[in-house]
Amino acid sequence: MTHNAVSRTTEFVYESLPTRVIFGSGTLNNVEQEAKRLGMSRILLLCGQPHESVTSSIAKSLGDIYGATFLGARMHTPVNVTEEAMALVKTSQIDGIVSIGGGSTTGLSKAIALRTDLPQIILPTTYAGSEMTPILGETDNGIKTTQRSPKVLPETVIYDVELTLDLPPAIAGVSGMNAVAHAVEALYSRDANPVISALAIESVAALLRSLPRIRNEMHDLGARSDALYGAWLAGICLGSVGMALHHKLCHTLGGMFDLPHAETHAALLPHVLAYNSPAIPEVMQRLSHSLGVDDPALHLYRVNQAIGATPALADIGMPEDGIERATDLALANPYWNPRPLERHAIRDLLARAYRGDEPKP
């Protein structure tokens, strides 16, 4: 069998991103030590309502280096929310950020860091993976734009498996499939390389074996650990190579219709992989071998069913007339993809995802 990575070993570029990672159970206890190591003396805590009690506990442990707490993070990192948080940064004389939560909270932390270059400590509670990337997506007036900057890359990420144990299985499932999307698209990225391809295959395998187990037993510590490990690897993939059609479509739909981020990734992933499959036979072969399946795209669709992820974009808020609008916007600015961007085929892809049909090339 010929692996996709093998064909790229003669020439590639690999950049290792300098984030410090602490992984395990009970690693939450490292926050104060890490904050002091980074020179923080006036900390802003970011969190969502589900993690308010954990955040309050962290605030007490920080003592006199605690500055303030902001609870208003929202999906897709709206610029107006960032401006609210920035006002608190200024009035409280903040010099460091500790973020506890999923992709929305991480996104807000990174948006603040972009504007201030403040150091960040991120404690993920989902499998979003954005904590491992120098990438920030922000939404303003319904348009989501993405940029890369070393300013937004967190200095430390603390993975504490115990922080994920109460993540409901339905949310864990779609969050995990969001991470799978990062790894799958990294396999056929224009700047894929052997290191990232190896991490991506490991990530996909770890996530797809753990997510159905979490669905059946939400407090399975081994499955939770595997999922968080897979999400970490997927985040490295997302931050190290460029993405293509899948992420473009997800950002387009999320920005236009305010669709839930992870659910959108989960629903679209099988369809985009099927669309690209004729142009990436080595990647499809490698995924088939790793997962022990004949059709990786159909397998992803069935995993979505097994974990309770909604297959139809219609069920998470996309209007039917959005198919045409999203197709036009997705094609408005050219970008790289292994298969050429064909309007009728992309429209058909979105229509199938809208209805929740099985994926087709």
Side-chain angles (χ1 to χ4, degrees):
M1 180 179 67
T2 302
H3 286 175
N4 184 52
V6 173
S7 65
R8 298 175 184 267
T9 53
T10 56
E11 183 177 342
F12 62 88
V13 174
Y14 170 68
E15 180 179 358
S16 180
L17 300 175
T19 296
R20 174 176 164 90
V21 172
I22 301 172
F23 189 103
S25 293
T27 49
L28 175 66
N29 296 326
N30 289 275
V31 171
E32 181 183 4
Q33 178 182 342
E34 282 299 301
K36 290 180 177 178
R37 187 184 70 84
L38 291 168
M40 297 180 182
S41 62
R42 190 76 176 162
I43 294 173
L44 174 65
L45 296 179
L46 303 177
C47 74
Q49 295 292 339
H51 304 104
E52 194 169 355
S53 61
V54 172
T55 305
S56 178
S57 176
I58 293 174
K60 291 177 182 178
S61 73
L62 292 174
D64 59 6
I65 64 172
Y66 165 74
T69 298
F70 184 84
L71 301 171
R74 283 182 50 206
M75 280 193 314
H76 308 304
T77 320
V79 170
N80 64 304
V81 173
T82 301
E83 290 170 350
E84 290 179 30
M86 283 296 300
L88 186 58
V89 168
K90 292 175 182 177
T91 58
S92 299
Q93 298 181 313
I94 297 300
D95 65 2
I97 309 165
V98 174
S99 170
I100 307 97
S104 298
T105 313
T106 299
L108 176 58
S109 179
K110 293 164 85 169
I112 296 170
L114 179 69
R115 292 159 172 80
T116 62
D117 209 16
L118 292 177
Q120 305 171 77
I121 299 172
I122 307 293
L123 291 90
T125 60
T126 69
Y127 309 130
S130 58
E131 67 277 357
M132 291 304 300
T133 78
I135 302 168
L136 171 64
E138 296 184 285
T139 303
D140 194 15
N141 295 319
I143 302 296
K144 189 166 186 176
T145 57
T146 302
Q147 60 181 301
R148 297 178 71 98
S149 170
K151 286 184 177 182
V152 308
L153 184 70
E155 280 69 17
T156 299
V157 176
I158 299 177
Y159 290 102
D160 190 334
V161 178
E162 295 177 21
L163 288 177
T164 70
L165 290 177
D166 292 331
L167 185 66
I171 298 176
V174 293
S175 179
M177 291 304 288
N178 178 23
V180 171
H182 304 332
V184 166
E185 194 143 70
L187 284 167
Y188 57 74
S189 169
R190 177 166 51 180
D191 45 0
N193 63 72
V195 175
I196 295 303
S197 292
L199 295 182
I201 286 292
E202 176 77 358
S203 171
V204 172
L207 284 159
L208 294 187
R209 71 171 174 256
S210 60
L211 296 179
R213 289 167 56 196
I214 292 170
R215 172 74 171 178
N216 294 327
E217 176 46 64
M218 69 175 288
H219 292 117
D220 184 331
L221 189 62
R224 291 284 187 172
S225 184
D226 273 355
L228 194 58
Y229 166 69
W232 166 52
L233 295 178
I236 296 174
C237 294
L238 177 65
S240 300
V241 297
M243 297 287 116
L245 176 62
H246 174 82
H247 282 75
K248 174 66 174 181
L249 289 179
C250 288
H251 285 175
T252 298
L253 295 174
M256 288 183 75
F257 309 119
D258 199 30
L259 303 186
H261 182 83
E263 287 85 345
T264 304
H265 276 270
L268 273 175
L269 177 60
H271 299 280
V272 180
L273 182 60
Y275 176 91
N276 280 325
S277 61
I280 51 170
E282 293 175 335
V283 169
M284 300 302 288
Q285 187 178 22
R286 191 169 186 185
L287 283 169
S288 294
H289 177 76
S290 174
L291 301 175
V293 299
D294 293 329
D295 185 341
L298 183 60
H299 180 66
L300 290 172
Y301 180 83
R302 289 174 176 165
V303 170
N304 273 337
Q305 293 177 317
I307 64 176
T310 302
L313 293 173
D315 293 337
I316 58 173
M318 180 176 171
E320 188 169 7
D321 66 359
I323 296 172
E324 297 292 345
R325 287 190 282 152
T327 301
D328 290 338
L329 187 56
L331 295 172
N333 298 307
Y335 51 93
W336 186 87
N337 189 66
R339 176 180 169 182
L341 302 177
E342 303 163 6
R343 190 187 191 285
H344 72 280
I346 290 176
R347 188 213 173 276
D348 289 347
L349 178 166
L350 287 170
R352 281 191 291 273
Y354 173 81
R355 296 188 300 265
D357 297 344
E358 289 188 356
K360 295 181 180 179

